[in-house]
Amino acid sequence: MTQSFEKLDRTSVPELDNILGIPFNVLDDGFIRVIDYMGSDAAIVQAARVSYGKGTKKIREDEGLIRYLIRHHHTSPLEMCEIKLHVRVPMDCWRQWIRHRTASVNEYSTRYSLAIDAVQKTKPNEWRLQATSNRQGSEGYLEVEKGRSFSAREDELLNLARIVYSERIDAGIAREQARKDLPLSTYTEAYWKTDLHNLLHFLALRMEQHAQLEIRTYATIIGCEIVSKWCPLVWKAFNDYQFSRMELSKQEIAIIAHLQSGDIEGAKNTAREYGFLPAKGESLKYNLEREEIEQKLKTLGIRPPWLPS
Amino acid sequence: MTQSFEKLDRTSVPELDNILGIPFNVLDDGFIRVIDYMGSDAAIVQAARVSYGKGTKKIREDEGLIRYLIRHHHTSPLEMCEIKLHVRVPMDCWRQWIRHRTASVNEYSTRYSLAIDAVQKTKPNEWRLQATSNRQGSEGYLEVEKGRSFSAREDELLNLARIVYSERIDAGIAREQARKDLPLSTYTEAYWKTDLHNLLHFLALRMEQHAQLEIRTYATIIGCEIVSKWCPLVWKAFNDYQFSRMELSKQEIAIIAHLQSGDIEGAKNTAREYGFLPAKGESLKYNLEREEIEQKLKTLGIRPPWLPS
Amino acid sequence: MTQSFEKLDRTSVPELDNILGIPFNVLDDGFIRVIDYMGSDAAIVQAARVSYGKGTKKIREDEGLIRYLIRHHHTSPLEMCEIKLHVRVPMDCWRQWIRHRTASVNEYSTRYSLAIDAVQKTKPNEWRLQATSNRQGSEGYLEVEKGRSFSAREDELLNLARIVYSERIDAGIAREQARKDLPLSTYTEAYWKTDLHNLLHFLALRMEQHAQLEIRTYATIIGCEIVSKWCPLVWKAFNDYQFSRMELSKQEIAIIAHLQSGDIEGAKNTAREYGFLPAKGESLKYNLEREEIEQKLKTLGIRPPWLPS
Amino acid sequence: MTQSFEKLDRTSVPELDNILGIPFNVLDDGFIRVIDYMGSDAAIVQAARVSYGKGTKKIREDEGLIRYLIRHHHTSPLEMCEIKLHVRVPMDCWRQWIRHRTASVNEYSTRYSLAIDAVQKTKPNEWRLQATSNRQGSEGYLEVEKGRSFSAREDELLNLARIVYSERIDAGIAREQARKDLPLSTYTEAYWKTDLHNLLHFLALRMEQHAQLEIRTYATIIGCEIVSKWCPLVWKAFNDYQFSRMELSKQEIAIIAHLQSGDIEGAKNTAREYGFLPAKGESLKYNLEREEIEQKLKTLGIRPPWLPS
């Protein structure tokens, strides 16, 4: 072998270096800080090209290659990038965050140290109403006047919780037990480190409109303020191909193909066959899958053939 | 609390119990056997309903719930099912298989025991030609007459390799070193255990038409002969929503919406903006992303507006 | 190949089948139930023997093989066994539990359903005091008389928290937000599934005397009541080789060897060299590593040579 | 909250920067190059201190903290460091390497490009003999004269294999199939990225004397040449507490304690009870566990009481 290798310098991304350590404020008392990172758009290209060998050097441009990788879910080169964040998050939100298992975590220990003396408080205009269309979401806000009384009540509860915690600590009760009744709105802090592939998966799920507002706020900042600076080509491709994509099922493809060829009955029959359109003559009933299809067809500018024109 | 729980029996799936231990033959000397499993369609529903709590019992039917989970990538309940296979696979194919990291593996050790005395041989009509459209695939076959000489040549090489291996063993050379020049076509065996979520991911990648024929053959048997019996509702939903789905990017959605509203120029402009259609007046050049879009449009019955009609 | 395989029946463990679904009560309102499992002591042996090939069949007895695997950290055959539990745990304890990442989880969703109306309450004689020797532990109990007032105060806080939660729900505030100030002592439920290797790792950390009492109680029941029935050979080997083992560092080995050969000064010099014994003539100061060594030496019946006899 | 944070610079380790990209040669044609890294000894301390909160800042010195973490298997802060290597390894060795699942990998694709034209060749004095004491190892070497003929025979096989591969490629056979009979000694290349915790686990297993010579050579270079420069405090602690440690089982502890108190019969009885010493009056038979204990006792300078003095 006569391969020769040059001395390398570390990959760095000046746009990200500029914000290292500086907190992005989130919610009323949370933050996200980038502590360190490894890799960049260029490092992804470099790793992908190991797979492809000499055969493809210079054939594709970097941006084209990155877009290809993301379009085709070739995610292993994305794992070559790592980022380490320092975050401050309400425990309720952290409970969702920590469900993403492919990450390294060092969390502030309330066995070892006093619980952080900060809770996420809700302003009078921030009380959200239960969604009716979606069992696990919210839509709209409580009127501010009512909100005021709920915020006051919240203060009362949070104050009592903190006093009770302090009384226990003062009496010498173990920190690991004194904390047991702290409210979920108490802030925690953690170092959280993950690779870019798993981070994009986190963002795809948590920036999404059905994600809970609190974690969505964190995710959006990580995406729009951090990943966008760190790996701008990946960020753009992620938005085009992953975050804003539409998935069409086998039956949705068949319905569209029928409609494009003018076969309205064929489209309806496919829908009936899959059980989301009632038999001829029966009236339409609520069906979640049909609603989802209708929404997709509308986005594509195609009229669902079973709806009144 | 006054919850009361009944004694449970283990979930079992008679259709799968019927084939436990029986080998499905694969390639010339490989096999797949189901050794054990945990869970079923019903176990997935049960796990999903823990998340939903009392609120939703009986609201959705089981099949609807499973289809919903798969359509929306709510994959955690699928992890509640496990399957353990005993497989015999050429090492070359195993090298691809083992890249799926979320699985448990016990492989036959050629340090500990003599290498398995079986290699995957290629019949005269099985030599595949390099694809021209795709750097990493094959298309079409070598003519049988030529294939015959390559098969003979293969025999010669495989025989020599086995003889050399035996000579080393007979001379007392350590098994861990004697094996070093065995051909990649040598069979290995392993117990391979994974959960249903990760298995479906494996199948989606390896049953796919671009997967190499050998691993595709194994994957197809696992899907069509095993998963189809084990979790038939999941298998159907997987085919409808995951395996046969089409993904539309942000720009593909925009192009289709333009075309449906009759705005041909808008569609072309979007394509130009994203760089896969040349500027007006320039002639079409090869562009992979454009080819992919054209293919999707055709499947949907939509004519790509830049192609001659 | 002329291998032939017989039809298999699933591995089952009658001792575990007997308790399937039946709750073990934990704390004041928690439980652990075994829902399903895969594998057994025999399945581990079977998987290990695939690695060893024909060469070793019948050479080792099953128990000897299992003990060998655990003694030598050959953990991959242990991954061939899975267990699925249904647990009810205070959120504070669940926060520790969920840090074990190699597991599958479906947790009760308080976005989707009303929060479970149960909290872990502390009896007057259960308030633990902060350990002085260990920043993150507890030792001893608060006197019952004082405990009574802390339990009353706890009731007050928990009642207020539940009332505030109900008020929010009644006013139509979204469940995902109404829950934000629930105390960490609120119970949650989950299906939790993991393999035996990762379960033993969990048990080694959480049955250990420094683990917090609450999670230690759960872990001890999982080990002593469940694993002991499921895989009794593994359970015994785990206790002998993993849970009750002692680790000696390079310098501890050197110190013991010096002492056994009668070289007291050599032992002391080694300790000085590693910095946990002060230079000759200086007085002993607190040093954690020295304390750990002294403890080990005492367990082995060896007198630490720097302590007054 | 009035926390304030300063702008950070990235952690860097000049000793590692100095060798970035420069290959360490391994075997006859392999190499290891460090491509990039994240973190350092200091980053581990920083992450650990997040867990401990304000309570412990400055209390422990950095080295003491790192030694404490490793001694007590508190491995999560070690996950905060990542390293990315470019390696060239024979496929036979890579088959072992890739079994470590917690790593990110981009391997050279022989579907996409021509197989690397290099194989690991064995010199006449490098043929190892099968170990008799250990079914899966080697000990000693074949005499050079005989080795010469095995090296010549190897050349013959490797040449034929390469010729056959070239004939297939020249005939237009697909690369994915042409490669099927390549010898396992063929070199492959990969980018391999893992965190420091998982890397130490890899090193503990692969630097160990029972690991196969080839992978042991790679592992030793990674440890002694790379980790030692990157995180010198971790490297030292790893050697003292993890790599060179001795584990004593419950029964080994009991035997030593008996011996130290002069109770020879008690020691023997414990050994009999655990089945590795035959009943009184019976003669000693080979028993692996007893051999292991004898070895440990000797290392500690303690005479096994059942051996003739």
Side-chain angles (χ1 to χ4, degrees):
Chain A
M1 181 191 69
T2 55
Q3 260 180 303
S4 73
F5 293 107
E6 287 177 23
K7 173 80 183 64
L8 291 177
D9 291 322
R10 289 177 80 187
T11 301
S12 74
V13 180
E15 290 74 13
L16 197 58
D17 289 339
N18 286 341
I19 59 166
L20 236 51
I22 298 174
F24 290 95
N25 296 321
V26 197
L27 305 181
D28 58 343
D29 202 21
F31 60 71
I32 303 170
R33 302 165 65 217
V34 184
I35 299 299
D36 206 349
Y37 66 97
M38 182 170 94
S40 64
D41 280 334
I44 295 165
V45 169
Q46 179 191 46
R49 289 208 166 118
V50 162
S51 299
Y52 297 148
K54 293 165 201 154
T56 53
K57 265 174 203 156
K58 292 174 194 159
I59 287 182
R60 292 179 200 277
E61 299 294 332
D62 286 8
E63 179 165 10
L65 176 52
I66 282 180
R67 293 181 73 80
Y68 176 86
L69 293 173
I70 291 188
R71 200 159 75 237
H72 289 278
H73 309 289
H74 293 184
T75 55
S76 61
L78 299 176
E79 292 181 28
M80 292 291 154
C81 297
E82 287 275 331
I83 196 159
K84 182 165 61 161
L85 306 175
H86 179 196
V87 297
R88 181 177 172 113
V89 187
M91 287 183 186
D92 189 38
C93 183
W94 185 243
R95 277 170 50 83
Q96 298 178 333
W97 197 310
I98 203 75
R99 289 291 289 110
H100 296 260
R101 289 163 292 182
T102 313
S104 296
V105 180
N106 279 102
E107 188 186 349
Y108 181 91
S109 167
T110 47
R111 287 186 83 192
Y112 208 95
S113 301
L114 286 181
I116 293 174
D117 189 10
V119 285
Q120 186 211 359
K121 296 193 172 180
T122 312
K123 297 210 182 77
N125 62 349
E126 289 176 346
W127 293 99
R128 309 196 292 274
L129 295 170
Q130 178 67 34
T132 50
S133 63
N134 179 340
R135 278 192 63 88
Q136 64 170 345
S138 61
E139 58 192 8
Y141 288 90
L142 197 68
E143 42 199 294
V144 177
E145 213 42 59
K146 286 190 186 168
R148 223 179 296 279
S149 78
F150 281 98
S151 294
R153 195 76 164 129
E154 183 183 60
D155 269 347
E156 184 187 344
L157 175 58
L158 297 178
N159 285 338
L160 178 61
R162 180 53 59 169
I163 289 168
V164 166
Y165 179 70
S166 298
E167 289 170 351
R168 292 176 186 172
I169 294 296
D170 292 345
I173 290 172
R175 285 183 289 273
E176 64 175 24
Q177 193 178 32
R179 69 181 172 181
K180 69 182 283 294
D181 301 312
L182 287 175
L184 289 172
S185 51
T186 308
Y187 277 95
T188 185
E189 290 188 21
Y191 273 42
W192 187 70
K193 167 176 152 292
T194 192
D195 66 56
L196 182 56
H197 163 56
N198 283 287
L199 183 61
L200 293 183
H201 187 68
F202 174 90
L203 295 181
L205 292 176
R206 302 304 186 178
M207 284 171 53
E208 205 260 342
Q209 57 163 335
H210 292 101
Q212 187 167 334
L213 179 63
E214 284 77 12
I215 199 163
R216 199 174 353 132
T217 308
Y218 283 90
T220 303
I221 288 172
I222 294 173
C224 299
E225 302 292 337
I226 296 172
V227 177
S228 66
K229 291 182 177 66
W230 180 27
C231 298
L233 297 180
V234 166
W235 177 242
K236 190 161 176 297
F238 167 77
N239 276 286
D240 288 345
Y241 298 125
Q242 188 170 346
F243 191 65
S244 309
R245 78 166 176 230
M246 176 186 292
E247 295 183 2
L248 296 179
S249 68
K250 191 170 147 187
Q251 53 265 43
E252 290 166 338
I253 295 169
I255 287 171
I256 293 175
H258 279 305
L259 292 176
Q260 294 297 315
S261 72
D263 180 6
I264 308 283
E265 273 316 298
K268 287 184 180 172
N269 285 336
T270 298
R272 284 183 192 114
E273 193 184 314
Y274 278 93
F276 50 80
L277 193 66
K280 260 188 200 178
E282 293 183 18
S283 61
L284 277 186
K285 281 174 300 190
Y286 171 80
N287 178 290
L288 178 59
E289 188 167 1
R290 195 180 65 238
E291 281 209 351
E292 292 175 14
I293 294 178
E294 290 172 1
Q295 190 51 53
K296 291 183 198 173
L297 291 177
K298 282 173 192 167
T299 302
L300 295 173
I302 301 173
R303 202 176 63 75
W306 47 78
L307 291 187
S309 53
Chain B
M1 182 190 67
T2 56
Q3 259 179 307
S4 74
F5 294 107
E6 287 177 23
K7 173 80 183 60
L8 291 178
D9 291 322
R10 288 177 79 188
T11 301
S12 73
V13 181
E15 292 74 12
L16 197 59
D17 289 338
N18 286 340
I19 60 165
L20 235 52
I22 298 174
F24 291 95
N25 296 320
V26 197
L27 305 180
D28 58 343
D29 202 20
F31 60 71
I32 303 169
R33 303 164 66 215
V34 184
I35 300 301
D36 206 349
Y37 67 97
M38 182 169 95
S40 64
D41 280 335
I44 295 164
V45 169
Q46 180 191 44
R49 289 211 166 117
V50 163
S51 299
Y52 298 148
K54 293 164 202 155
T56 53
K57 264 172 203 156
K58 291 172 195 160
I59 288 183
R60 292 178 201 278
E61 298 295 331
D62 286 7
E63 179 164 9
L65 176 53
I66 283 179
R67 293 180 75 79
Y68 176 86
L69 293 172
I70 291 188
R71 200 160 74 238
H72 290 278
H73 310 288
H74 293 184
T75 56
S76 61
L78 299 175
E79 292 182 29
M80 292 292 152
C81 297
E82 286 275 331
I83 196 159
K84 182 166 62 160
L85 306 175
H86 179 196
V87 296
R88 182 176 171 113
V89 188
M91 288 183 186
D92 189 38
C93 183
W94 185 244
R95 278 171 48 84
Q96 298 177 334
W97 196 310
I98 203 74
R99 289 290 291 108
H100 296 261
R101 289 162 292 183
T102 313
S104 296
V105 180
N106 278 102
E107 189 186 350
Y108 182 91
S109 166
T110 48
R111 287 187 82 191
Y112 208 95
S113 302
L114 287 181
I116 293 174
D117 189 9
V119 286
Q120 186 211 358
K121 295 192 173 181
T122 312
K123 297 210 182 76
N125 62 350
E126 290 176 347
W127 293 99
R128 308 196 293 274
L129 295 171
Q130 178 66 36
T132 49
S133 63
N134 178 341
R135 278 191 62 89
Q136 65 169 343
S138 61
E139 61 193 3
Y141 288 90
L142 198 66
E143 44 199 293
V144 177
E145 214 42 58
K146 286 191 186 165
R148 223 180 295 280
S149 78
F150 280 99
S151 294
R153 195 73 164 131
E154 181 182 62
D155 270 347
E156 184 188 341
L157 174 58
L158 296 178
N159 285 338
L160 178 61
R162 180 53 59 167
I163 290 169
V164 166
Y165 179 70
S166 298
E167 289 169 352
R168 292 176 186 172
I169 295 295
D170 292 344
I173 290 173
R175 284 183 290 273
E176 64 174 25
Q177 194 178 32
R179 69 180 173 182
K180 67 181 283 295
D181 301 311
L182 286 175
L184 288 172
S185 51
T186 308
Y187 276 96
T188 185
E189 290 189 20
Y191 272 42
W192 186 70
K193 170 176 151 291
T194 192
D195 66 55
L196 182 55
H197 163 56
N198 283 287
L199 183 60
L200 293 183
H201 187 67
F202 174 90
L203 295 181
L205 291 176
R206 303 303 185 178
M207 285 171 52
E208 205 260 341
Q209 58 162 334
H210 292 101
Q212 187 167 336
L213 179 62
E214 284 77 12
I215 199 163
R216 202 179 345 138
T217 309
Y218 282 91
T220 303
I221 288 173
I222 293 173
C224 299
E225 301 293 337
I226 296 172
V227 177
S228 66
K229 291 182 177 67
W230 178 28
C231 298
L233 297 180
V234 167
W235 178 241
K236 191 162 175 298
F238 166 77
N239 276 284
D240 288 345
Y241 299 125
Q242 188 170 347
F243 191 64
S244 309
R245 78 165 177 233
M246 176 188 291
E247 295 182 2
L248 297 178
S249 67
K250 191 169 147 187
Q251 53 265 44
E252 288 166 340
I253 295 169
I255 288 171
I256 293 175
H258 279 306
L259 292 175
Q260 294 297 316
S261 71
D263 180 7
I264 309 282
E265 272 316 299
K268 286 185 181 173
N269 285 337
T270 298
R272 284 184 193 113
E273 192 185 316
Y274 277 94
F276 50 82
L277 193 66
K280 259 189 199 176
E282 294 183 18
S283 60
L284 277 186
K285 281 174 300 188
Y286 172 80
N287 178 290
L288 178 58
E289 188 167 2
R290 195 179 67 238
E291 279 210 352
E292 292 175 13
I293 294 178
E294 289 172 1
Q295 190 50 55
K296 291 183 197 173
L297 291 177
K298 282 173 191 167
T299 301
L300 294 173
I302 300 173
R303 204 176 62 75
W306 48 78
L307 292 187
S309 51
Chain C
M1 182 190 67
T2 56
Q3 260 179 304
S4 74
F5 293 107
E6 287 176 23
K7 173 81 182 61
L8 292 177
D9 291 322
R10 289 176 80 187
T11 301
S12 73
V13 181
E15 292 72 13
L16 196 59
D17 289 339
N18 286 340
I19 59 166
L20 236 51
I22 298 174
F24 292 95
N25 296 320
V26 197
L27 305 181
D28 58 343
D29 201 21
F31 61 70
I32 303 170
R33 303 165 65 217
V34 184
I35 300 300
D36 206 348
Y37 66 97
M38 182 169 95
S40 64
D41 280 335
I44 295 165
V45 169
Q46 179 191 44
R49 290 211 164 116
V50 162
S51 299
Y52 298 148
K54 293 163 202 156
T56 53
K57 265 173 202 155
K58 292 173 195 158
I59 287 181
R60 292 179 200 278
E61 299 293 332
D62 287 8
E63 180 165 8
L65 176 53
I66 283 180
R67 293 181 74 80
Y68 176 86
L69 294 172
I70 292 188
R71 200 161 72 238
H72 290 277
H73 309 289
H74 293 183
T75 56
S76 61
L78 300 176
E79 293 181 29
M80 291 292 153
C81 297
E82 286 275 330
I83 195 159
K84 182 167 60 161
L85 306 175
H86 180 195
V87 297
R88 181 176 172 115
V89 188
M91 288 182 186
D92 188 38
C93 183
W94 185 243
R95 278 171 49 84
Q96 297 177 334
W97 196 312
I98 203 75
R99 289 292 289 109
H100 296 260
R101 289 163 293 182
T102 313
S104 295
V105 180
N106 278 103
E107 189 186 350
Y108 182 91
S109 167
T110 47
R111 288 186 81 191
Y112 208 95
S113 302
L114 286 181
I116 292 174
D117 188 8
V119 286
Q120 187 212 357
K121 295 192 173 181
T122 312
K123 298 210 181 75
N125 62 350
E126 289 176 347
W127 292 100
R128 308 196 293 274
L129 295 171
Q130 179 66 36
T132 48
S133 63
N134 179 342
R135 279 192 62 87
Q136 64 169 343
S138 60
E139 58 193 6
Y141 287 90
L142 199 66
E143 45 201 290
V144 177
E145 214 42 58
K146 285 191 186 167
R148 223 180 296 279
S149 79
F150 280 99
S151 294
R153 195 75 163 130
E154 182 183 59
D155 269 347
E156 183 188 344
L157 174 58
L158 297 177
N159 285 338
L160 178 61
R162 181 53 59 167
I163 290 169
V164 166
Y165 179 70
S166 298
E167 289 170 351
R168 291 176 187 173
I169 295 296
D170 292 344
I173 289 172
R175 284 183 290 274
E176 64 175 25
Q177 193 178 31
R179 68 178 175 185
K180 68 182 283 294
D181 302 312
L182 287 175
L184 288 172
S185 51
T186 307
Y187 276 95
T188 185
E189 290 189 21
Y191 272 44
W192 187 69
K193 170 178 151 289
T194 192
D195 66 56
L196 182 55
H197 163 56
N198 283 287
L199 183 60
L200 293 183
H201 187 68
F202 174 89
L203 295 181
L205 291 176
R206 302 305 186 177
M207 283 171 52
E208 206 260 340
Q209 57 163 336
H210 292 101
Q212 187 167 336
L213 179 62
E214 284 75 12
I215 199 163
R216 199 174 353 131
T217 308
Y218 282 90
T220 303
I221 288 173
I222 294 174
C224 298
E225 301 293 337
I226 296 172
V227 177
S228 66
K229 291 182 176 66
W230 179 28
C231 297
L233 297 180
V234 167
W235 177 242
K236 189 162 177 297
F238 167 77
N239 276 285
D240 288 345
Y241 298 125
Q242 188 170 347
F243 191 64
S244 309
R245 77 163 177 233
M246 176 187 292
E247 296 184 1
L248 297 179
S249 68
K250 191 170 147 186
Q251 54 265 41
E252 288 165 340
I253 296 169
I255 287 171
I256 293 175
H258 279 305
L259 292 176
Q260 294 298 314
S261 72
D263 180 7
I264 309 282
E265 273 316 299
K268 285 186 182 172
N269 285 337
T270 298
R272 284 183 192 115
E273 192 184 317
Y274 278 93
F276 50 81
L277 193 65
K280 261 189 199 176
E282 293 183 18
S283 60
L284 278 186
K285 280 174 301 188
Y286 172 80
N287 178 289
L288 178 58
E289 189 168 0
R290 195 180 65 239
E291 280 210 352
E292 293 175 14
I293 294 179
E294 290 172 1
Q295 190 50 56
K296 291 183 199 174
L297 290 177
K298 283 173 192 167
T299 302
L300 294 173
I302 301 173
R303 204 177 59 77
W306 48 79
L307 290 187
S309 50
Chain D
M1 183 190 66
T2 55
Q3 260 180 305
S4 73
F5 293 107
E6 287 177 23
K7 175 80 183 61
L8 292 177
D9 291 321
R10 289 176 80 188
T11 300
S12 74
V13 180
E15 291 73 13
L16 197 58
D17 289 338
N18 286 340
I19 59 167
L20 236 50
I22 298 174
F24 291 94
N25 296 321
V26 197
L27 305 181
D28 58 341
D29 202 20
F31 60 70
I32 303 169
R33 303 165 65 217
V34 185
I35 300 300
D36 206 349
Y37 67 97
M38 182 169 95
S40 64
D41 281 334
I44 295 165
V45 169
Q46 179 192 46
R49 291 214 164 114
V50 162
S51 298
Y52 298 146
K54 292 164 203 156
T56 53
K57 263 173 205 157
K58 292 173 195 160
I59 288 181
R60 293 181 199 279
E61 300 294 331
D62 286 7
E63 180 165 9
L65 176 52
I66 283 179
R67 293 181 75 80
Y68 175 87
L69 294 173
I70 291 188
R71 201 160 72 238
H72 290 278
H73 309 289
H74 293 184
T75 56
S76 61
L78 299 176
E79 292 182 30
M80 291 292 153
C81 297
E82 287 276 330
I83 196 159
K84 182 166 61 161
L85 305 175
H86 179 195
V87 296
R88 182 176 171 115
V89 188
M91 287 183 187
D92 189 38
C93 183
W94 185 243
R95 277 171 49 83
Q96 298 177 333
W97 197 310
I98 203 75
R99 290 289 290 109
H100 296 261
R101 290 163 292 182
T102 313
S104 296
V105 181
N106 278 102
E107 188 185 350
Y108 182 91
S109 167
T110 47
R111 288 187 82 192
Y112 209 95
S113 301
L114 287 181
I116 293 174
D117 190 8
V119 286
Q120 186 212 357
K121 295 192 173 180
T122 313
K123 297 208 183 76
N125 62 351
E126 289 175 348
W127 293 99
R128 309 196 292 274
L129 295 170
Q130 179 65 37
T132 50
S133 64
N134 178 341
R135 279 193 63 87
Q136 65 169 345
S138 61
E139 58 193 6
Y141 288 89
L142 198 67
E143 43 199 293
V144 177
E145 213 41 59
K146 285 192 186 165
R148 224 179 296 280
S149 79
F150 280 99
S151 294
R153 196 74 165 131
E154 182 183 62
D155 269 346
E156 185 188 343
L157 175 58
L158 296 178
N159 286 337
L160 178 62
R162 180 54 59 168
I163 290 168
V164 166
Y165 178 70
S166 297
E167 289 170 352
R168 291 176 187 171
I169 293 296
D170 292 345
I173 290 172
R175 284 183 290 272
E176 64 175 24
Q177 194 177 31
R179 69 179 174 184
K180 69 183 282 297
D181 301 311
L182 287 175
L184 287 173
S185 51
T186 309
Y187 276 96
T188 186
E189 290 188 19
Y191 272 43
W192 187 70
K193 168 177 152 290
T194 193
D195 65 56
L196 181 56
H197 163 57
N198 283 287
L199 183 61
L200 293 183
H201 187 67
F202 174 90
L203 295 182
L205 291 176
R206 302 305 186 177
M207 284 171 52
E208 204 261 341
Q209 57 162 333
H210 292 102
Q212 187 167 336
L213 179 62
E214 284 76 12
I215 199 164
R216 198 174 354 131
T217 309
Y218 283 90
T220 303
I221 288 173
I222 294 174
C224 300
E225 302 292 336
I226 296 172
V227 177
S228 65
K229 291 182 177 66
W230 179 27
C231 298
L233 297 180
V234 167
W235 178 242
K236 190 161 175 298
F238 166 78
N239 276 286
D240 288 345
Y241 298 125
Q242 188 170 348
F243 191 64
S244 309
R245 77 164 177 234
M246 177 187 292
E247 295 183 1
L248 296 179
S249 69
K250 191 170 147 187
Q251 54 265 43
E252 289 166 339
I253 296 169
I255 287 171
I256 293 175
H258 279 305
L259 292 176
Q260 293 298 316
S261 72
D263 180 6
I264 310 281
E265 273 316 298
K268 286 184 180 173
N269 286 336
T270 298
R272 285 182 192 115
E273 191 184 317
Y274 278 94
F276 50 81
L277 193 67
K280 260 189 198 175
E282 293 182 20
S283 61
L284 277 187
K285 282 173 300 187
Y286 172 80
N287 179 290
L288 178 59
E289 188 168 1
R290 195 181 63 240
E291 280 209 353
E292 292 175 14
I293 294 179
E294 290 172 1
Q295 190 51 55
K296 291 183 199 173
L297 291 177
K298 282 174 192 167
T299 302
L300 294 174
I302 301 174
R303 202 177 62 76
W306 48 77
L307 291 186
S309 51

